[in-house]
Amino acid sequence: MSGLFLSFEGIDGAGKSTHIEALAQALRARGRTVVLTREPGGTPLAEKLRALALNDPMDPLTEALLMFAARRDHLQQVIEPALARGDVVLCDRFTDATFAYQGGGRGFDLDVLATLERWVQSVPATPLRQPDVTVWFDLPAAVAAQRLAGARVPDRFESQPQAFFERVAGGYAARAKADPGRFLRVAADQPRDQVWQDVEEGLRKRGVL
């Protein structure tokens, strides 16, 4: 079987992590080898960069560069080898998150992000590595704020005001509009079972399940 790359996206509190694990189990039951990973992170180096990005104060350019540096190592060390083996890669966030958080949330230059995207995601197999399917958990920022309240000690992103997450949600919507064939939008303000049902149905239509 050929490799398959799926990313799960959404603002903090959207509940995507729960459904990534459920999808991994469903795919393994069908005989697929699944690699579960995340961004920023996924390799020892990228996890160190993740800790910096989530906790240390920095300007938007530094933040964006850290994200893409972590992504480059992640692609080279984990994602590309897994796809070459024919595995399914399930990634908790990928480049759409950078456009949503650093672009939409921070207001950083989208043209610069697009240039970094082309540089970093050029790999031997393709000039611009993107997920085959991006499952976008679309959640109103007000609902996300309620879910996050008191959940744990927030990191530098989770502690942002609701207006920040509204801009992030807008960033995701813009990415989905620009590449609708790749995105599977799921309304995340539903009961968990209904969200999973929508994920499962959408991926079945796309031939993933």
Side-chain angles (χ1 to χ4, degrees):
M1 294 185 223
S2 59
L4 190 62
F5 181 20
L6 284 79
S7 62
F8 278 45
E9 295 283 0
I11 63 176
D12 293 278
K16 55 189 169 45
S17 300
T18 299
H19 299 291
I20 290 179
E21 183 57 46
L23 178 58
Q25 293 177 11
L27 288 165
R28 286 170 180 146
R30 288 161 173 77
R32 297 302 301 260
T33 300
V34 177
V35 175
L36 276 171
T37 189
R38 68 177 183 176
E39 288 212 349
T43 71
L45 173 59
E47 290 292 336
K48 293 175 183 177
L49 297 177
R50 175 189 179 91
L52 293 173
L54 295 189
N55 298 295
D56 290 14
M58 62 190 69
D59 78 334
L61 175 56
T62 304
E63 191 173 275
L65 290 171
L66 279 180
M67 296 297 181
F68 276 110
R71 182 162 301 126
R72 180 66 181 179
D73 193 59
H74 192 207
L75 277 166
Q76 289 191 314
Q77 303 298 328
V78 175
I79 296 174
E80 291 303 312
L83 295 177
R85 292 192 303 266
D87 298 348
V88 179
V89 176
L90 302 183
C91 191
D92 187 342
R93 296 207 170 109
F94 194 62
T95 309
D96 298 305
T98 305
F99 278 82
Y101 278 80
Q102 282 71 54
R106 303 290 193 207
F108 189 68
D109 192 320
L110 297 179
D111 289 335
V112 174
L113 294 181
T115 298
L116 292 170
E117 180 183 35
R118 290 192 300 271
W119 287 353
V120 168
Q121 292 162 229
S122 175
V123 295
T126 176
L128 182 60
R129 172 63 72 195
Q130 294 286 19
D132 298 294
V133 180
T134 294
V135 184
W136 170 34
F137 293 82
D138 189 11
L139 185 71
V143 177
Q146 293 172 1
R147 291 183 180 180
L148 289 172
R152 61 171 184 262
V153 177
D155 62 36
R156 206 163 57 86
F157 291 94
E158 293 169 336
S159 61
Q160 292 297 310
Q162 183 175 320
F164 173 83
F165 288 105
E166 289 171 352
R167 295 193 299 272
V168 172
Y172 275 124
R175 288 286 280 185
K177 183 178 180 180
D179 196 358
R182 175 165 63 85
F183 274 77
L184 169 60
R185 179 190 171 275
V186 175
D189 56 345
Q190 306 178 89
R192 181 180 297 179
D193 289 347
Q194 183 60 54
V195 172
W196 169 246
Q197 185 176 323
D198 289 352
V199 171
E200 195 174 26
E201 180 181 349
L203 292 178
R204 187 176 292 116
K205 289 179 179 178
R206 292 168 182 254
V208 174
L209 291 173

